[in-house]
Amino acid sequence: SQQGEEDPQALSIQEGENATMNCSYKTSINNLQWYRQNSGRGLVHLILIRSNEREKHSGRLRVTLDTSKKSSSLLITASRAADTASYFCATDKGGLVFGQGTRLTINP
Amino acid sequence: SAVISQKPSRDICQRGTSLTIQCQVDSQVTMMFWYRQQPGQSLTLIATANQGSEATYESGFVIDKFPISRPNLTFSTLTVSNMSPEDSSIYLCSSTGAGGPGETQYFGPGTRLLVL
């Protein structure tokens, strides 16, 4: 079963704008990971944030974690056409439990 | 990190047959995992492949349908048995590499299965 929900399910923005995706989960976690998947291909790992961390950056990506609200967000700044993909959050219980995913489309 | 390969990359199979998917990791790892991604859906964990013991299956998945082998610390197989069209999915394996539990999980490229 899915651990949580992601919203929005789909997001379409113009190139150069920022994209924010949210993830909620149900149980306590050790860490939360974000992945990108291009058009049915393999998953690319983006960021891992641990339960004792509140924010993490990697290039144009910023991830926040609020364990009191059991939620996380992924912000992509200055979006590019190449960012068009599906984005998934996943919580770690040994194996990963994935959210439903957000399908992001960047329009040129 | 870990580099993970899978074979085959894709296959088209007839209902009632079985397909074995191979997963190879470039280093010795403790934990390997198998996931299914049905068309247009997210990933669902099938099982954890344990070296030297039986795989641990998630709710809704059973060994008779998805037997798993883990003969050593770098290799695992997943068999999809007695296939039906509902088994058409992408099957992915993953591992934490040398990092162990609670670390980044890396994924293979997936095996795209179509059952007719």
Side-chain angles (χ1 to χ4, degrees):
Chain A
S1 62
Q2 300 301 321
Q3 163 72 293
E5 303 293 324
E6 288 186 63
D7 98 275
Q9 292 188 7
L11 178 62
S12 181
I13 61 174
Q14 295 300 119
E15 195 166 18
E17 295 180 339
N18 296 341
T20 299
M21 289 158 271
N22 302 297
C23 166
S24 63
Y25 56 91
K26 297 174 183 174
T27 62
S28 61
I29 62 170
N30 294 319
N31 66 59
L32 186 145
Q33 304 185 42
W34 283 90
Y35 289 86
R36 183 184 74 223
Q37 185 178 42
N38 290 83
S39 190
R41 297 183 182 176
L43 268 71
V44 174
H45 184 264
L46 298 176
I47 288 183
L48 179 153
I49 187 165
R50 301 190 188 279
S51 59
N52 61 352
E53 298 175 310
R54 292 296 168 258
E55 187 170 307
K56 211 161 181 182
H57 297 254
S58 176
R60 294 184 297 112
L61 307 180
R62 184 182 79 134
V63 167
T64 62
L65 179 65
D66 186 335
T67 53
S68 66
K69 295 181 179 178
K70 292 186 169 59
S71 67
S72 176
S73 67
L74 169 66
L75 168 67
I76 303 174
T77 60
S79 62
R80 306 167 181 170
D83 294 328
T84 294
S86 292
Y87 291 82
F88 296 94
C89 67
T91 54
D92 194 335
K93 44 153 273 186
L96 295 176
V97 181
F98 282 82
Q100 308 276 9
T102 294
R103 185 169 299 175
L104 175 65
T105 302
I106 309 299
N107 302 303
Chain B
S1 66
V3 177
I4 301 175
S5 59
Q6 288 184 232
K7 288 195 295 187
S9 59
R10 58 178 63 226
D11 209 340
I12 301 173
C13 300
Q14 297 298 319
R15 70 172 67 209
T17 63
S18 298
L19 176 71
T20 296
I21 302 167
Q22 300 179 9
C23 178
Q24 180 78 50
V25 187
D26 68 340
S27 59
Q28 293 187 340
V29 297
T30 304
M31 306 179 82
M32 295 179 73
F33 306 93
W34 287 97
Y35 296 83
R36 179 178 72 184
Q37 186 176 29
Q38 295 176 298
Q41 302 296 314
S42 183
L43 284 78
T44 301
L45 178 65
I46 297 172
T48 302
N50 305 306
Q51 198 271 330
S53 65
E54 293 281 337
T56 304
Y57 289 84
E58 297 298 306
S59 175
F61 297 96
V62 295
I63 188 171
D64 289 347
K65 177 66 175 178
F66 298 102
I68 288 171
S69 78
R70 180 85 195 271
N72 57 51
L73 291 174
T74 65
F75 187 78
S76 178
T77 67
L78 169 77
T79 298
V80 186
S81 303
N82 188 25
M83 289 184 284
S84 67
E86 291 70 36
D87 294 318
S88 298
S89 296
I90 301 173
Y91 292 87
L92 301 101
C93 69
S94 78
S95 173
T96 55
E103 299 299 325
T104 297
Q105 281 202 22
Y106 300 94
F107 282 79
T111 296
R112 189 182 295 268
L113 171 61
L114 176 63
V115 184
L116 302 177

